[in-house]
Amino acid sequence: MSIGKVKLKLNYYSLDRFPFLNTVILKSRLAWSIRLRWLAVAGYFLATIVTEVFFEISLPYRQIWIVLFSLAFLNLIYQASLWIQKEFSFPAEIIILHIHIIIDLICLTLLIHYSGGIENPVYLFYIFHIVISSILFSKSSPFIIATLVVILFFSLVYLEYNGIIAHYCLYEISIHDSLLAVVLILIVFFITVYVTEYICTTFMRIYRDSKRIIDKQNKQLIEADKEKTRFFQFASHELKAPVIAIKSTLDGVTKSFAGSLDPKILDLLQRASKRSTQLLTILKELLELSQKRNIKTIMENEKIDINKILNDTIRNEKTSAEQKNITLNLDLNKNDITTCGRYEDFEKVFGNLINNAIRYSPNNSVINIKSEVNNHNFIFEIQDTGIGIPDNEIHKIFEEFYRAESAKKLVNFGTGLGLSLVKQIVENYSGKISVKSKVDRGSTFRVTIPIKTC
Ligand code: ADP
């Protein structure tokens, strides 16, 4: 065979033809079909014992068991090859699956032959193969397998009916006595085979087409999200420098000419400076968020002491809590917890959550902060008795710029970016963040991060 032809053949089995499958899925289906085969062999073996012992039907049991034994032996080889060869190429797996199905069909035909031929409704088991092949393969394969079933079963019945091979009678009266019965059974069975094949392949085609559309849309959404992040990064980066320049000019003017300026103008300039500080905060958080989104994996892996970071952050937030006479109730894990990551990331997570709890809590209230280690996970929980988050807004609080209405009323300025940043950092560490909240009762944020060794 020329190289061109080999390539053509391999292209036939390329992933494009089977886009809904991949080697991992195929391998799991191979393993599944092996388990199914063990069940089928054991089930058939038990059935022959029952027919021999309880119904005393005389069948060539030795031949049946030889076929079952051969099938079991083949299955053992399939199983061993799956254990030994951890990874098959996609075309190889497709070819192996085809071979398995063809051998199964031949074995089933032999079993039907030794157990009564057309008289044994076991021939309906062919349908399973049609369904399985329609699920596994696309285009012509299921049709070819359906035709193979028809050829095998027709040949068997033809050879038995004409006495070319033996017919093992199951009942006292043989179906072979009536040609009409034989023809009727064959016609109905063949129609069933092709209708099953048609229904299954049509259904699978619709499923594959829908999956293809969903995958495509998913890709477009991911691309749009990346584009948005790139835009955020570009805009915040470009805007930061002019805003810093405006702010330092305003600060310079208010400081240098404070005495000589009209109080109204001074007030206006100070307000403008405050606004530019807020704008700078937004830009910094936006830049940080887009950077964290771009670098999904943790780049700098340094050994960090989580307890130290948590204690440092709590110390930093103490002043804001004291200003509102809020008590920070601590229940922290005393043992050393070291993991891989960046000090700043953990500081951002703890800092944002503690700061939010303080900002959205009333004066003289209590905030409970708890940390623990469970199943190689570090867990941080913060519970406040603040304004809470309405049910219809809770799912939006991790979106960029989202601020609940009640939060806007209580705290004038907020970027709406803190929680997006926290969520992004936690996810970059393969962790999770969840929130439970009741309006006017308070909120509980819980962060779970797997502990890693460097
Ligand atoms: P910001 O606090 O700057 O508005 P965040 O992203 O940190 O931005 O929070 C987003 C929104 O989530 C807040 O505006 C607020 O509505 C809600 N939120 C966050 N933490 C709390 C909390 N502890 N209690 C009540 N609402 C909260």
Side-chain angles (χ1 to χ4, degrees), residues 356-357 359-360 384 387-389 397 402-404 407 414-419 443 445:
N356 277 351
R359 286 194 303 144
Y360 299 117
D384 63 54
I387 56 171
I389 306 155
I397 60 165
Y402 193 82
R403 302 196 69 213
T415 61
L417 289 168
L419 283 185
S443 314
F445 284 83

Side-chain angles (χ1 to χ4, degrees), residues 280-322:
L280 211 54
T281 313
I282 296 177
L283 291 175
K284 273 185 194 159
E285 287 197 1
L286 204 52
L287 192 61
E288 203 160 349
L289 178 63
S290 37
Q291 276 165 353
K292 290 280 177 273
R293 286 222 170 135
N294 271 344
I295 310 159
K296 288 268 154 80
T297 46
I298 309 149
M299 300 300 282
E300 290 162 47
N301 278 346
E302 58 186 62
K303 223 176 182 181
I304 47 165
D305 177 351
I306 301 187
N307 277 346
K308 182 182 170 347
I309 308 173
L310 188 50
N311 284 316
D312 288 354
T313 319
I314 292 170
R315 210 172 307 122
N316 290 343
E317 296 295 336
K318 256 200 176 125
T319 327
S320 330
E322 277 162 12

Side-chain angles (χ1 to χ4, degrees), residues 45 95 176 185 196 215 218 292 358 360 410 417 428:
F45 180 72
I95 293 168
H176 281 198
I185 290 175
T196 309
D215 283 352
N218 216 10
K292 290 280 177 273
I358 296 171
Y360 299 117
L410 182 73
L417 289 168
N428 285 2

